Amino acid sequence: MPVISVTSPKGGVGKTTTATLLSTILAERGISVILIDADPNGAVSLWAARGAGVPKNLQVVPAGAPNEFVRQIDASAATAAYVVVDLEGRAGQMAAYATALSDFVIIPTQGSQLDAEQTVRHIQLIKDQERVSRRRIPFAVIFTRTSAAVRPTGQAFIQASFAEDGIPTFATQIADREAYRAIFSFGGTLAGLKDSGARVGKLSSAIENADAFVDELLQQVAA
Amino acid sequence: MSQNPERARPSDRLNVAGMREVLTAHGYSEPFTAAPAPSPLLGPWRTGRTQQFNMKASPDTVQRFAAICRAYNWPSGLTLQHAVLALEEKLAQVRLTKGRDLEP
Ligand SMILES: Nc1ncnc2c1ncn2[C@@H]1O[C@H](COP(=O)(O)OP(=O)(O)OP(=O)(O)O)[C@@H](O)[C@H]1O
Ligand SMILES: [Mg+2]
């Protein structure tokens, strides 16, 4: 039922990685998920088409045309326990629709000052959308591609200023890990990589990290 | 959050004009293509590919049409589709000239 959009005004910040980790982990926990690929570049669809396939509770579908997208989100929400929408790296019509219909919006960001500024502007846009749609749109920022070992001072500063401004932020960060790239090279899921015995560095840490992110999200979005 | 699929979705009151204004105010000039249709949930008979079709007919025809719909639990569009198909098959047999009616 809940619709979760992954959006950012910037490309390459980890939206598709975040959306795919979330969808596959929910599906592997036995939850039905529809993952809508709303990026014309189709990264999610390419991933789904790779050899390893997708978990049986997960359905990956391309987004329809803008005037059908709204119905598609509604129909998906009526069918699946969770709907995840992977969006293009810019604000536009599709992102606006998805955001307006979401029960939760995840905004991935990398820990640089430039990224942070764009993220803040994107949050202002979401706030304005809340105003015109007269409903609260819960959201949170997630730091991606962070170092698992150290927290650079720049990033710590940004986190502190987000906290000061009352910007909700995931406690879990999605660290930069080989395994998160590997699922896009081979297709399939983190658990699938483990079962296949593929030699991927720090795979169990990557699984723990992704699970922690999903757990934290589920605390905020009850089905 | 409720599990009830009947609950009102936010799309029922999507403010497209407002959303367009917000995007413009934030410097995104991408045109909105078309206002999204407010969305009745797609049921087995609601494909989103149908269109409105109003017509007048004799009370007898309307009642018999409705009786078929009820008897088979078909929506009127499906009954009409079957009726047209049946008529096309019949017309293919009889070679009527334009303007003439079928024998009852
Ligand atoms: N946590 C991570 N660990 C390792 N690699 C990552 C991680 N997150 C993203 N990447 C890599 O960074 C690149 C961009 O990531 P991704 O495609 O998820 O971003 P995106 O925001 O969806 O990009 P786009 O805006 O182009 O759709 C990809 O090559 C991806 O494999
Ligand atoms: Mg992407």
Side-chain angles (χ1 to χ4, degrees), chain A residues 74 90 93 97 101 128 132, chain B residues 9 11 19 26 30 33 39:
Chain A
D74 273 0
R90 67 198 182 94
Q93 186 178 8
Y97 287 155
L101 300 182
D128 283 346
V132 300
Chain B
R9 297 278 321 159
S11 60
M19 287 161 60
H26 283 266
E30 175 193 72
T33 42
S39 61

Side-chain angles (χ1 to χ4, degrees), chain A:
Chain A
M1 192 92 234
V3 176
I4 297 162
S5 291
V6 186
T7 169
S8 77
K10 191 165 182 277
V13 295
K15 290 179 296 298
T16 300
T17 303
T18 304
T20 305
L21 289 174
L22 171 61
S23 304
T24 51
I25 288 172
L26 287 175
E28 284 172 337
R29 291 182 185 182
I31 299 167
S32 66
V33 181
I34 294 179
L35 172 54
I36 302 180
D37 184 0
D39 181 347
N41 294 314
V44 160
S45 305
L46 287 173
W47 162 79
R50 290 205 192 284
V54 305
K56 77 173 191 324
N57 289 317
L58 175 62
Q59 209 186 323
V60 177
V61 296
N67 61 339
E68 284 173 5
F69 190 40
V70 169
R71 276 173 191 258
Q72 181 184 25
I73 291 176
D74 273 0
S76 304
T79 317
Y82 281 86
V83 178
V84 178
V85 188
D86 181 43
L87 288 145
E88 204 180 347
R90 67 198 182 94
Q93 186 178 8
M94 298 293 269
Y97 287 155
T99 303
L101 300 182
S102 284
D103 298 285
F104 200 88
V105 176
I106 301 173
I107 310 168
T109 188
Q110 291 175 20
S112 82
Q113 187 59 33
L114 270 178
D115 284 84
E117 281 163 15
Q118 294 207 28
T119 300
V120 169
R121 276 205 299 278
H122 193 62
I123 290 170
Q124 280 157 358
L125 189 151
I126 292 178
K127 292 277 179 202
D128 283 346
Q129 259 198 260
E130 280 188 325
R131 197 171 41 72
V132 300
S133 60
R134 293 171 194 276
R135 64 181 280 270
R136 209 169 71 80
I137 303 170
F139 68 88
V141 172
I142 187 159
F143 285 94
T144 58
R145 307 203 68 176
T146 54
S147 158
V150 295
R151 193 172 66 146
T153 38
Q155 187 195 317
F157 175 78
I158 290 164
Q159 277 177 255
S161 63
F162 277 9
E164 227 168 79
D165 295 342
I167 294 176
T169 304
F170 279 90
T172 313
Q173 305 184 348
I174 299 183
D176 196 281
R177 294 184 192 272
E178 187 192 347
Y180 301 153
R181 275 189 297 275
I183 55 170
F184 287 94
S185 311
F186 305 123
T189 67
L190 296 175
L193 282 180
K194 194 173 173 199
D195 294 342
S196 75
R199 289 167 58 98
V200 176
K202 296 261 174 19
L203 182 54
S204 7
S205 306
I207 292 175
E208 261 173 45
N209 186 171
D211 271 326
F213 152 60
V214 173
D215 290 340
E216 195 180 344
L217 177 82
L218 290 182
Q219 278 167 23
Q220 315 203 39
V221 190

